[in-house]
Amino acid sequence: MTSVVPGFTGPGPMRGTDPREAARVVLGECHRMPFLPELTDRGLGADQVGRTLAMLADLPVDVSTRGWRLAGSPGRPARRASDLLDRDLDALEEADESVRDPEVDRASEDRRLVVRVLGPWSLAARVELPAGSPVLTDRGARRDLAEALAEGVAARVTRLAARLGAGARILLDEPMIWHIAAGSVAGPSRFDPIPAVPEDRLSLSLCRFADVLRRHGVAEVMLRVPTDGGDEAPASWAALTRTPDGETPLDGLCMAADTLHSGGSHAALDAAGTVLDGGRILQLEGLPGSTRPPSSGPEVERRVAAILALLERLSAPRYAGLRQLVLTPTVDDMVSPHLTSGEVLGTVRRVAEAAPRLAE
């Protein structure tokens, strides 16, 4: 039986300010599935919104007293964000060249470069129009933002992926999606509430956004969503797992693993099971058990056993189901001052590599 090791990578954010050091750690621990580090400690422009806006194609932005906004020409913070992104892309390519065996790695068809970007809906909720209202309130501006995002992300990421001998996997992060669906996104004032966006429109637009990315050369498009949005914005998993008629589904779903392991949300479990049953990818953020790196083989095995038990609970085969899993640390683990990024990623790698043996 051919060994099937689940994918393992990082969620994106890392501590520190040195892109070369971050890239070295990423390539050392996640060579088969490297990810583009997000070094937010560098300040404005390195934040998730700034990083995503730096990828826009021909749509200038600047900052106001409240945050990022569309503008007539790029402001200094926008130019800084673009410069930081270029440094990160170059650092990852340089680190890959230093460790890659061209004869071996170039022949690997399953290698993936993972890049997390803010999805089109959450970006529209967090970026303002020049007059100050969220882009979310203007259908035309929202469309222009989504088009610029798809074109710019695909161009930058596929270019780097080709240099790494990998396929491009985009992780669309939609932290605001439940609030957008519930109509609880804060408007410019309490007299101008932002209406809810119907769930079927959200689902349809995300499928079509993914289609655009694929047409531009992206291999896979995943969706990352929070487990819940609180009382004002309850999760509606069916809206994301039920693909509209005639549309191509997204390639997978990324969600917090602790909710699944604890069984705290039956709807989330159903969503994860639906993804696996459809042959798609399930990315689990966080390992079961303590965040402390396992110091012994039995500790690794206990974590693997919990993952295999979850597969069984989701009605997925213990062994073959591993090929549909991607394991990552949580963002909190990666930015914790108590462990280095290498230690955290190394823990995930050890668990992933042990899983096929214990699943047989």
Side-chain angles (χ1 to χ4, degrees), residues 10-63:
M14 296 177 67
R15 285 191 297 128
T17 59
D18 185 347
R20 286 187 170 83
E21 174 61 19
R24 184 191 64 78
V25 172
V26 168
L27 268 299
E29 297 293 346
C30 306
H31 183 69
R32 187 164 66 97
M33 196 174 289
F35 64 96
L36 184 65
E38 301 171 27
L39 305 178
T40 58
D41 289 344
R42 294 177 296 183
L44 185 64
D47 57 291
Q48 188 185 29
V49 179
R51 158 63 60 89
T52 302
L53 291 175
M55 298 190 190
L56 295 180
D58 301 322
L59 194 61
V61 296
D62 201 350
V63 294

Short mmCIF file of all heavy atoms in Angstrom, two decimals, residues 10-63:
data_model
loop_
_atom_site.label_atom_id
_atom_site.label_comp_id
_atom_site.label_asym_id
_atom_site.label_seq_id
_atom_site.Cartn_x
_atom_site.Cartn_y
_atom_site.Cartn_z
N GLY A 10 1.47 25.97 6.86
CA GLY A 10 1.20 26.94 7.91
C GLY A 10 0.03 27.81 7.54
O GLY A 10 -0.36 27.90 6.36
N PRO A 11 -0.56 28.48 8.51
CA PRO A 11 -1.73 29.32 8.24
C PRO A 11 -1.40 30.65 7.59
O PRO A 11 -2.28 31.32 7.06
CB PRO A 11 -2.33 29.53 9.62
CG PRO A 11 -1.16 29.46 10.55
CD PRO A 11 -0.24 28.44 9.95
N GLY A 12 -0.13 31.07 7.64
CA GLY A 12 0.28 32.35 7.04
C GLY A 12 1.06 33.22 8.00
O GLY A 12 2.26 33.45 7.82
N PRO A 13 0.43 33.75 9.05
CA PRO A 13 1.12 34.66 9.97
C PRO A 13 2.29 33.98 10.71
O PRO A 13 2.20 32.82 11.09
CB PRO A 13 0.02 35.06 10.96
CG PRO A 13 -1.25 34.88 10.20
CD PRO A 13 -1.02 33.69 9.34
N MET A 14 3.35 34.75 10.90
CA MET A 14 4.51 34.30 11.67
C MET A 14 5.04 35.50 12.46
O MET A 14 4.83 36.65 12.09
CB MET A 14 5.61 33.76 10.75
CG MET A 14 5.22 32.51 9.98
SD MET A 14 6.53 31.95 8.82
CE MET A 14 7.83 31.45 9.95
N ARG A 15 5.75 35.21 13.54
CA ARG A 15 6.40 36.28 14.29
C ARG A 15 7.66 36.73 13.56
O ARG A 15 8.23 36.01 12.76
CB ARG A 15 6.78 35.79 15.69
CG ARG A 15 5.59 35.66 16.64
CD ARG A 15 6.06 35.43 18.06
NE ARG A 15 6.80 34.18 18.18
CZ ARG A 15 7.99 34.05 18.73
NH1 ARG A 15 8.63 35.12 19.17
NH2 ARG A 15 8.57 32.88 18.82
N GLY A 16 8.10 37.95 13.88
CA GLY A 16 9.36 38.44 13.34
C GLY A 16 9.17 39.44 12.22
O GLY A 16 8.05 39.76 11.80
N THR A 17 10.30 39.93 11.73
CA THR A 17 10.29 40.95 10.68
C THR A 17 11.22 40.62 9.52
O THR A 17 11.30 41.38 8.57
CB THR A 17 10.71 42.32 11.26
OG1 THR A 17 12.04 42.20 11.83
CG2 THR A 17 9.74 42.78 12.35
N ASP A 18 11.92 39.49 9.60
CA ASP A 18 12.92 39.14 8.58
C ASP A 18 12.32 38.13 7.60
O ASP A 18 12.12 36.97 7.94
CB ASP A 18 14.15 38.54 9.25
CG ASP A 18 15.27 38.26 8.27
OD1 ASP A 18 15.03 38.29 7.05
OD2 ASP A 18 16.40 37.98 8.72
N PRO A 19 12.01 38.55 6.37
CA PRO A 19 11.39 37.62 5.42
C PRO A 19 12.29 36.47 5.02
O PRO A 19 11.80 35.37 4.75
CB PRO A 19 11.05 38.51 4.22
CG PRO A 19 11.94 39.71 4.35
CD PRO A 19 12.15 39.91 5.81
N ARG A 20 13.60 36.68 5.00
CA ARG A 20 14.50 35.59 4.63
C ARG A 20 14.53 34.50 5.70
O ARG A 20 14.54 33.30 5.38
CB ARG A 20 15.92 36.13 4.37
CG ARG A 20 16.04 36.88 3.06
CD ARG A 20 17.49 37.26 2.76
NE ARG A 20 17.63 37.76 1.41
CZ ARG A 20 17.39 39.00 1.03
NH1 ARG A 20 16.98 39.89 1.94
NH2 ARG A 20 17.55 39.36 -0.24
N GLU A 21 14.54 34.90 6.96
CA GLU A 21 14.52 33.92 8.04
C GLU A 21 13.19 33.16 8.04
O GLU A 21 13.15 31.94 8.22
CB GLU A 21 14.73 34.61 9.39
CG GLU A 21 14.57 33.71 10.60
CD GLU A 21 15.55 32.55 10.63
OE1 GLU A 21 16.59 32.61 9.93
OE2 GLU A 21 15.29 31.58 11.36
N ALA A 22 12.09 33.88 7.85
CA ALA A 22 10.79 33.23 7.81
C ALA A 22 10.72 32.23 6.66
O ALA A 22 10.21 31.11 6.82
CB ALA A 22 9.69 34.27 7.68
N ALA A 23 11.21 32.63 5.49
CA ALA A 23 11.18 31.73 4.33
C ALA A 23 12.04 30.50 4.57
O ALA A 23 11.69 29.39 4.15
CB ALA A 23 11.66 32.49 3.09
N ARG A 24 13.17 30.69 5.24
CA ARG A 24 14.04 29.54 5.53
C ARG A 24 13.31 28.52 6.41
O ARG A 24 13.39 27.32 6.18
CB ARG A 24 15.31 30.03 6.24
CG ARG A 24 16.33 28.93 6.50
CD ARG A 24 17.43 29.40 7.43
NE ARG A 24 16.90 29.72 8.75
CZ ARG A 24 16.60 28.80 9.68
NH1 ARG A 24 16.75 27.51 9.40
NH2 ARG A 24 16.15 29.17 10.85
N VAL A 25 12.58 29.01 7.41
CA VAL A 25 11.83 28.12 8.29
C VAL A 25 10.73 27.40 7.50
O VAL A 25 10.54 26.18 7.65
CB VAL A 25 11.22 28.91 9.47
CG1 VAL A 25 10.26 28.03 10.28
CG2 VAL A 25 12.33 29.46 10.36
N VAL A 26 10.01 28.14 6.68
CA VAL A 26 8.92 27.55 5.89
C VAL A 26 9.44 26.44 4.99
O VAL A 26 8.87 25.33 4.94
CB VAL A 26 8.22 28.63 5.06
CG1 VAL A 26 7.28 28.01 4.02
CG2 VAL A 26 7.44 29.58 5.96
N LEU A 27 10.50 26.70 4.25
CA LEU A 27 11.02 25.69 3.34
C LEU A 27 11.65 24.52 4.08
O LEU A 27 11.66 23.40 3.59
CB LEU A 27 12.03 26.31 2.38
CG LEU A 27 11.48 26.84 1.04
CD1 LEU A 27 10.85 25.71 0.24
CD2 LEU A 27 10.48 27.95 1.24
N GLY A 28 12.16 24.77 5.28
CA GLY A 28 12.75 23.69 6.06
C GLY A 28 11.72 22.71 6.58
O GLY A 28 11.99 21.51 6.69
N GLU A 29 10.52 23.20 6.92
CA GLU A 29 9.51 22.34 7.53
C GLU A 29 8.37 21.96 6.58
O GLU A 29 7.75 20.93 6.76
CB GLU A 29 8.91 23.03 8.77
CG GLU A 29 9.90 23.28 9.89
CD GLU A 29 10.40 21.99 10.53
OE1 GLU A 29 9.78 20.92 10.30
OE2 GLU A 29 11.41 22.05 11.26
N CYS A 30 8.10 22.79 5.58
CA CYS A 30 6.94 22.56 4.71
C CYS A 30 7.36 22.56 3.25
O CYS A 30 6.79 23.28 2.42
CB CYS A 30 5.88 23.65 4.94
SG CYS A 30 5.36 23.84 6.65
N HIS A 31 8.34 21.76 2.94
CA HIS A 31 8.93 21.80 1.60
C HIS A 31 7.92 21.39 0.52
O HIS A 31 7.89 21.97 -0.57
CB HIS A 31 10.15 20.88 1.53
CG HIS A 31 10.86 20.93 0.22
ND1 HIS A 31 11.56 22.03 -0.21
CD2 HIS A 31 10.95 20.02 -0.79
CE1 HIS A 31 12.08 21.80 -1.40
NE2 HIS A 31 11.71 20.59 -1.78
N ARG A 32 7.07 20.42 0.81
CA ARG A 32 6.11 19.95 -0.19
C ARG A 32 4.94 20.92 -0.36
O ARG A 32 4.31 20.97 -1.40
CB ARG A 32 5.58 18.56 0.20
CG ARG A 32 4.70 17.90 -0.87
CD ARG A 32 4.56 16.42 -0.61
NE ARG A 32 3.83 16.14 0.61
CZ ARG A 32 2.53 15.86 0.65
NH1 ARG A 32 1.82 15.86 -0.46
NH2 ARG A 32 1.94 15.58 1.80
N MET A 33 4.65 21.69 0.71
CA MET A 33 3.53 22.63 0.65
C MET A 33 3.94 23.94 1.33
O MET A 33 3.40 24.30 2.38
CB MET A 33 2.29 22.03 1.30
CG MET A 33 1.00 22.74 0.97
SD MET A 33 -0.46 21.88 1.65
CE MET A 33 -0.49 20.43 0.58
N PRO A 34 4.89 24.67 0.74
CA PRO A 34 5.32 25.93 1.36
C PRO A 34 4.20 26.97 1.31
O PRO A 34 3.34 26.95 0.43
CB PRO A 34 6.52 26.35 0.50
CG PRO A 34 6.26 25.71 -0.83
CD PRO A 34 5.58 24.41 -0.54
N PHE A 35 4.24 27.88 2.28
CA PHE A 35 3.26 28.96 2.31
C PHE A 35 3.99 30.30 2.36
O PHE A 35 5.16 30.37 2.78
CB PHE A 35 2.32 28.82 3.52
CG PHE A 35 3.00 28.95 4.86
CD1 PHE A 35 3.04 30.15 5.54
CD2 PHE A 35 3.61 27.84 5.45
CE1 PHE A 35 3.67 30.27 6.78
CE2 PHE A 35 4.23 27.95 6.69
CZ PHE A 35 4.26 29.17 7.36
N LEU A 36 3.32 31.34 1.90
CA LEU A 36 3.90 32.68 1.92
C LEU A 36 3.73 33.27 3.31
O LEU A 36 2.60 33.48 3.76
CB LEU A 36 3.23 33.57 0.88
CG LEU A 36 3.81 34.97 0.73
CD1 LEU A 36 5.24 34.91 0.19
CD2 LEU A 36 2.92 35.82 -0.20
N PRO A 37 4.82 33.55 4.04
CA PRO A 37 4.69 34.08 5.40
C PRO A 37 4.08 35.48 5.41
O PRO A 37 4.28 36.27 4.49
CB PRO A 37 6.15 34.13 5.90
CG PRO A 37 6.90 33.20 5.01
CD PRO A 37 6.22 33.29 3.69
N GLU A 38 3.36 35.76 6.48
CA GLU A 38 2.79 37.09 6.73
C GLU A 38 3.43 37.62 8.01
O GLU A 38 3.14 37.14 9.10
CB GLU A 38 1.27 37.00 6.91
CG GLU A 38 0.54 36.42 5.71
CD GLU A 38 -0.92 36.14 6.02
OE1 GLU A 38 -1.49 36.83 6.89
OE2 GLU A 38 -1.49 35.23 5.39
N LEU A 39 4.32 38.58 7.87
CA LEU A 39 5.06 39.12 9.01
C LEU A 39 4.43 40.44 9.43
O LEU A 39 4.90 41.52 9.10
CB LEU A 39 6.53 39.30 8.63
CG LEU A 39 7.22 38.04 8.10
CD1 LEU A 39 8.67 38.34 7.72
CD2 LEU A 39 7.16 36.90 9.11
N THR A 40 3.36 40.34 10.20
CA THR A 40 2.60 41.53 10.55
C THR A 40 3.31 42.42 11.57
O THR A 40 2.89 43.57 11.77
CB THR A 40 1.22 41.14 11.10
OG1 THR A 40 1.38 40.28 12.24
CG2 THR A 40 0.43 40.37 10.04
N ASP A 41 4.37 41.90 12.21
CA ASP A 41 5.12 42.73 13.15
C ASP A 41 5.77 43.93 12.48
O ASP A 41 6.20 44.87 13.15
CB ASP A 41 6.21 41.90 13.85
CG ASP A 41 5.64 40.89 14.83
OD1 ASP A 41 4.46 41.02 15.19
OD2 ASP A 41 6.37 39.96 15.23
N ARG A 42 5.83 43.92 11.16
CA ARG A 42 6.44 45.05 10.43
C ARG A 42 5.52 46.25 10.35
O ARG A 42 5.93 47.31 9.88
CB ARG A 42 6.84 44.59 9.02
CG ARG A 42 7.95 43.55 9.02
CD ARG A 42 8.28 43.06 7.63
NE ARG A 42 7.15 42.37 7.01
CZ ARG A 42 7.20 41.78 5.81
NH1 ARG A 42 8.32 41.83 5.10
NH2 ARG A 42 6.14 41.15 5.33
N GLY A 43 4.27 46.10 10.78
CA GLY A 43 3.38 47.25 10.85
C GLY A 43 2.52 47.46 9.62
O GLY A 43 2.26 46.52 8.85
N LEU A 44 2.07 48.70 9.43
CA LEU A 44 1.14 49.03 8.37
C LEU A 44 1.70 48.59 7.01
O LEU A 44 2.85 48.86 6.67
CB LEU A 44 0.90 50.55 8.35
CG LEU A 44 -0.15 51.05 7.36
CD1 LEU A 44 -1.52 50.51 7.70
CD2 LEU A 44 -0.16 52.57 7.32
N GLY A 45 0.85 47.94 6.26
CA GLY A 45 1.26 47.41 4.96
C GLY A 45 1.58 45.94 5.02
O GLY A 45 1.51 45.24 4.01
N ALA A 46 1.95 45.46 6.21
CA ALA A 46 2.21 44.03 6.39
C ALA A 46 1.01 43.34 7.02
O ALA A 46 1.02 42.13 7.19
CB ALA A 46 3.45 43.82 7.27
N ASP A 47 -0.02 44.12 7.39
CA ASP A 47 -1.25 43.55 7.92
C ASP A 47 -1.99 42.81 6.81
O ASP A 47 -1.68 42.97 5.63
CB ASP A 47 -2.14 44.65 8.50
CG ASP A 47 -2.46 45.72 7.45
OD1 ASP A 47 -1.53 46.46 7.07
OD2 ASP A 47 -3.61 45.80 7.00
N GLN A 48 -2.96 42.01 7.19
CA GLN A 48 -3.64 41.17 6.20
C GLN A 48 -4.34 42.01 5.13
O GLN A 48 -4.28 41.68 3.94
CB GLN A 48 -4.64 40.23 6.87
CG GLN A 48 -5.23 39.21 5.89
CD GLN A 48 -6.31 38.36 6.50
OE1 GLN A 48 -7.02 38.78 7.40
NE2 GLN A 48 -6.46 37.13 6.01
N VAL A 49 -4.99 43.09 5.52
CA VAL A 49 -5.66 43.93 4.53
C VAL A 49 -4.64 44.57 3.60
O VAL A 49 -4.79 44.55 2.37
CB VAL A 49 -6.52 45.01 5.22
CG1 VAL A 49 -7.20 45.88 4.17
CG2 VAL A 49 -7.58 44.37 6.11
N GLY A 50 -3.59 45.14 4.17
CA GLY A 50 -2.56 45.78 3.35
C GLY A 50 -1.88 44.80 2.41
O GLY A 50 -1.63 45.13 1.23
N ARG A 51 -1.58 43.59 2.92
CA ARG A 51 -0.95 42.56 2.08
C ARG A 51 -1.85 42.21 0.91
O ARG A 51 -1.39 42.10 -0.24
CB ARG A 51 -0.68 41.33 2.94
CG ARG A 51 -0.52 39.98 2.20
CD ARG A 51 0.66 39.94 1.27
NE ARG A 51 1.90 40.16 1.95
CZ ARG A 51 2.63 39.18 2.50
NH1 ARG A 51 2.22 37.94 2.45
NH2 ARG A 51 3.77 39.45 3.08
N THR A 52 -3.15 42.05 1.15
CA THR A 52 -4.06 41.68 0.07
C THR A 52 -4.21 42.84 -0.92
O THR A 52 -4.20 42.62 -2.15
CB THR A 52 -5.44 41.31 0.64
OG1 THR A 52 -5.28 40.21 1.56
CG2 THR A 52 -6.39 40.89 -0.46
N LEU A 53 -4.33 44.06 -0.43
CA LEU A 53 -4.46 45.21 -1.33
C LEU A 53 -3.22 45.40 -2.19
O LEU A 53 -3.32 45.92 -3.32
CB LEU A 53 -4.73 46.47 -0.51
CG LEU A 53 -6.09 46.54 0.18
CD1 LEU A 53 -6.17 47.78 1.06
CD2 LEU A 53 -7.22 46.54 -0.84
N ALA A 54 -2.06 44.98 -1.68
CA ALA A 54 -0.84 45.09 -2.48
C ALA A 54 -0.87 44.20 -3.72
O ALA A 54 -0.08 44.37 -4.63
CB ALA A 54 0.37 44.73 -1.62
N MET A 55 -1.79 43.23 -3.74
CA MET A 55 -1.90 42.33 -4.89
C MET A 55 -2.91 42.81 -5.93
O MET A 55 -3.04 42.19 -6.99
CB MET A 55 -2.28 40.92 -4.42
CG MET A 55 -1.28 40.27 -3.51
SD MET A 55 -1.65 38.52 -3.25
CE MET A 55 -0.49 38.13 -1.93
N LEU A 56 -3.64 43.88 -5.64
CA LEU A 56 -4.64 44.35 -6.59
C LEU A 56 -4.01 44.76 -7.91
O LEU A 56 -2.91 45.33 -7.94
CB LEU A 56 -5.40 45.55 -6.02
CG LEU A 56 -6.27 45.32 -4.79
CD1 LEU A 56 -6.94 46.64 -4.39
CD2 LEU A 56 -7.31 44.24 -5.02
N ALA A 57 -4.72 44.50 -8.99
CA ALA A 57 -4.25 44.91 -10.32
C ALA A 57 -4.89 46.24 -10.69
O ALA A 57 -6.10 46.32 -10.88
CB ALA A 57 -4.60 43.84 -11.35
N ASP A 58 -4.08 47.29 -10.78
CA ASP A 58 -4.52 48.60 -11.30
C ASP A 58 -5.69 49.19 -10.54
O ASP A 58 -6.62 49.76 -11.14
CB ASP A 58 -4.89 48.47 -12.79
CG ASP A 58 -3.72 47.98 -13.63
OD1 ASP A 58 -2.59 48.39 -13.35
OD2 ASP A 58 -3.95 47.15 -14.54
N LEU A 59 -5.68 49.07 -9.22
CA LEU A 59 -6.70 49.72 -8.41
C LEU A 59 -5.99 50.33 -7.20
O LEU A 59 -5.70 49.65 -6.23
CB LEU A 59 -7.76 48.70 -7.95
CG LEU A 59 -9.05 49.29 -7.37
CD1 LEU A 59 -9.76 50.14 -8.41
CD2 LEU A 59 -9.98 48.19 -6.88
N PRO A 60 -5.67 51.65 -7.27
CA PRO A 60 -4.87 52.27 -6.23
C PRO A 60 -5.61 52.42 -4.91
O PRO A 60 -6.84 52.59 -4.87
CB PRO A 60 -4.53 53.65 -6.82
CG PRO A 60 -5.59 53.90 -7.84
CD PRO A 60 -5.98 52.56 -8.38
N VAL A 61 -4.86 52.38 -3.83
CA VAL A 61 -5.42 52.52 -2.48
C VAL A 61 -4.52 53.43 -1.65
O VAL A 61 -3.37 53.69 -1.99
CB VAL A 61 -5.55 51.16 -1.77
CG1 VAL A 61 -6.54 50.26 -2.50
CG2 VAL A 61 -4.20 50.47 -1.64
N ASP A 62 -5.08 53.91 -0.54
CA ASP A 62 -4.34 54.73 0.42
C ASP A 62 -4.97 54.47 1.78
O ASP A 62 -5.88 53.64 1.91
CB ASP A 62 -4.42 56.21 0.03
CG ASP A 62 -3.30 57.05 0.63
OD1 ASP A 62 -2.57 56.52 1.51
OD2 ASP A 62 -3.17 58.21 0.25
N VAL A 63 -4.52 55.16 2.80
CA VAL A 63 -5.12 55.00 4.12
C VAL A 63 -5.75 56.33 4.56
O VAL A 63 -5.32 57.40 4.16
CB VAL A 63 -4.09 54.54 5.18
CG1 VAL A 63 -3.58 53.15 4.87
CG2 VAL A 63 -2.95 55.54 5.30
#
